[in-house]
Amino acid sequence: MTTGSRGVFSAVDATLGYLYQVRSALLWALRRQKNEPDFLVSIETLDDVTFETTGGNPTDLLQTKHHRKGSASLTDASPDLWKTLRVWFEGHASGQIPPTANLYLVTTSSAPDGSAAYRLRANSRDASAAQHALDATAATSTNLGNKVAYAAYLEASPTERTAILAKVCIIDAAPTVVDLDKELRDEVFWAAGREHHAAFLDRLEGWWLRRVLRQLVEATHDRVGSVEIEAQMADLREQFKHDALPIDEDLLGFTLDDATTAAHEDATFVRQLGLIKAGKRRIAAAVRDYYRAFEQRSRWLRDDLVVGLDLHKYEQRLYQEWELVFEAMRDDVGDDATDEAQEQAARSVLAWAERTPIPIRPSVTEPFVTRGSLHMLADEARIGWHPEFRARLEALLRTTGRTS
């Protein structure tokens, strides 16, 4: 917890630390894919982040330590350093961590020149000098917070310490959880146009978070395979091509709830369905599709994946296609049809709207986009289903104190 402006019970730093762990895992996985096609990655198994072969052999373990800028230094008695060494030395002693595994401490802290951590970096490496400094610290330091870690370290023989420290690599002054944005965008720069990097990364991270959540909650032996990551990347790449648009998974899986139903019960497009005596389930499906299309189109606009002109042209296409079907229905039903005949004919136009795919772009074939967009036009009373929908809507709204 922190005693910052958010109060003594704030868990901001801890939360940022967990987010850093999850984002770092994705970054390392994306980088690893460039040279290693098959691997498994997990959170909170052997270490904060663990990479394994597809056969389950741990190859790389990561400890991640996040601090907001200027708040920590990786000295020889640093708690972050010794907490990490404790995990690794106890893991080796218990046999959970194999001697062949590489051990990385990824931290936003900086290692002072000449410190043990400095000597365990890749570009200033002197593992023997680092061991000498750590031996001295463990033997002489009075830091009670590190006491258990010192004991675990000293329980290993000098030869064992040498072998373990040979596998340790300190990556200090690493980007913060916010600065990881740039690192992650660099890894996906080839997957989508530069102007769409943020939108692409948002969707990739959304999937990654849900996948990690499943790994943590549903099965202790679950791991995320590199093939899953590549498949997700490939799917997103297709969605960001010029003839496509991304369809967000949360909208695909959206289930109509009471709050959404209540929020739309007086909407004009729902009243239009009432005019033709559409069934309750049909109306519920319309509300669901309206919500999904409205939200998806809003996201496309926010992410600059479409512009207002794109949507205007699409709505013109929808209107023209509806107009052909609607006028044909009016010709067939005639001017003297009974109310029942008019309602039945109107439901046939609605059926056309429910079943006819009119993609906004050639590869956007998800039906809710068409159906929901038609209901959005119906909500503006630009289109309708009943042969006399405009006059009847006006009368209906007048009786309820609303105007069209």
Side-chain angles (χ1 to χ4, degrees):
M1 293 184 184
T2 179
T3 56
S5 59
R6 291 179 174 85
V8 295
F9 299 112
S10 172
V12 170
D13 286 340
T15 304
L16 288 175
Y18 290 127
L19 292 172
Y20 191 62
Q21 180 181 349
V22 173
R23 299 195 88 193
S24 295
L26 176 59
L27 177 64
W28 277 62
L30 292 174
R31 288 176 173 170
R32 197 180 189 92
Q33 275 194 316
K34 295 175 183 175
N35 301 311
E36 186 177 338
D38 295 315
F39 61 84
L40 303 174
V41 57
S42 58
I43 306 287
E44 293 293 341
T45 52
L46 275 184
D47 216 326
D48 288 350
V49 182
T50 300
F51 288 94
E52 303 171 45
T53 65
T54 52
N57 180 38
T59 57
D60 296 280
L61 277 58
L62 274 67
Q63 280 271 321
T64 59
K65 304 294 184 189
H66 183 270
H67 297 278
R68 284 180 272 184
K69 287 183 178 178
S71 60
S73 177
L74 214 60
T75 63
D76 289 354
S78 158
D80 276 357
L81 177 62
W82 282 100
K83 284 178 184 175
T84 299
L85 291 174
R86 178 188 174 188
V87 170
W88 291 338
F89 275 77
E90 289 184 346
H92 273 278
S94 67
Q96 286 188 305
I97 298 179
T100 53
N102 298 310
L103 309 169
Y104 296 93
L105 170 57
V106 182
T107 174
T108 55
S109 302
S110 295
D113 287 355
S115 65
Y118 181 84
R119 297 302 184 192
L120 290 173
R121 301 192 318 178
N123 57 1
S124 55
R125 194 162 190 84
D126 185 346
S128 178
Q131 184 174 350
H132 181 74
L134 293 171
D135 286 353
T137 302
T140 62
S141 173
T142 57
N143 187 324
L144 294 178
N146 293 340
K147 184 178 179 181
V148 177
Y150 294 153
Y153 178 84
L154 293 173
E155 281 179 9
S157 70
T159 302
E160 289 171 331
R161 292 175 214 159
T162 301
I164 295 171
L165 292 175
K167 307 300 290 185
V168 171
C169 183
I170 306 292
I171 301 174
D172 69 325
T176 66
V177 66
V178 174
D179 294 336
L180 280 180
D181 265 353
K182 179 184 182 307
E183 307 288 320
L184 286 164
R185 286 189 195 187
D186 286 346
E187 296 304 318
V188 302
F189 83 97
W190 47 269
R194 184 179 298 276
E195 70 276 20
H196 297 147
H197 284 173
F200 185 97
L201 188 57
D202 282 348
R203 285 162 175 82
L204 179 62
E205 285 206 87
W207 168 81
W208 175 249
L209 185 60
R210 290 189 294 275
R211 183 62 185 89
V212 167
L213 191 63
R214 198 173 84 207
Q215 182 249 303
L216 290 169
V217 171
E218 293 187 355
T220 55
H221 299 294
D222 188 22
R223 303 287 188 271
V224 184
S226 57
V227 291
E228 294 178 69
I229 300 171
E230 176 52 37
Q232 186 63 26
M233 291 282 287
D235 184 50
L236 284 175
R237 284 198 297 271
E238 289 298 317
Q239 294 186 40
F240 277 81
K241 288 183 175 178
H242 291 301
D243 67 345
L245 285 166
I247 299 294
D248 291 325
E249 285 188 28
D250 62 314
L251 295 178
L252 271 178
F254 173 74
T255 302
L256 188 63
D257 51 43
D258 291 343
T260 306
T261 301
H264 294 86
E265 62 184 2
D266 291 327
T268 300
F269 79 95
V270 173
R271 292 177 180 272
Q272 292 237 39
L273 295 168
L275 289 178
I276 64 172
K277 294 184 170 56
K280 289 183 179 179
R281 292 182 180 177
R282 214 170 178 184
I283 294 174
V287 173
R288 179 199 61 201
D289 289 336
Y290 174 94
Y291 172 82
R292 294 198 294 183
F294 185 91
E295 180 63 24
Q296 186 67 79
R297 289 169 47 154
S298 298
R299 294 182 191 181
W300 289 339
L301 283 169
R302 285 199 299 271
D303 292 335
D304 291 328
L305 296 167
V306 297
V307 295
L309 182 60
D310 294 328
L311 294 178
H312 175 72
K313 289 180 178 177
Y314 180 52
E315 290 178 350
Q316 281 295 102
R317 284 179 54 208
L318 293 176
Y319 178 87
Q320 290 168 4
E321 294 301 316
W322 162 84
E323 188 177 37
L324 289 173
V325 176
F326 182 76
E327 294 302 335
M329 177 271 290
R330 295 222 302 180
D331 285 348
D332 289 343
V333 76
D335 295 333
D336 300 324
T338 63
D339 282 350
E340 184 178 352
Q342 286 186 324
E343 290 161 3
Q344 184 174 359
R347 288 194 289 272
S348 72
V349 181
L350 177 62
W352 162 84
E354 293 168 333
R355 297 168 188 167
T356 305
I358 306 175
I360 185 171
R361 289 184 184 171
S363 295
V364 184
T365 57
E366 187 56 43
F368 81 72
V369 177
T370 301
R371 294 196 298 257
S373 296
L374 284 165
H375 286 303
M376 289 172 69
L377 290 177
D379 198 55
E380 297 171 2
R382 292 166 63 185
I383 70 168
W385 321 115
H386 194 283
E388 300 170 354
F389 73 91
R390 289 192 176 90
R392 296 209 176 201
L393 268 180
E394 187 174 341
L396 180 63
L397 294 175
R398 200 162 43 236
T399 60
T400 58
R402 294 176 56 187
T403 56
S404 58

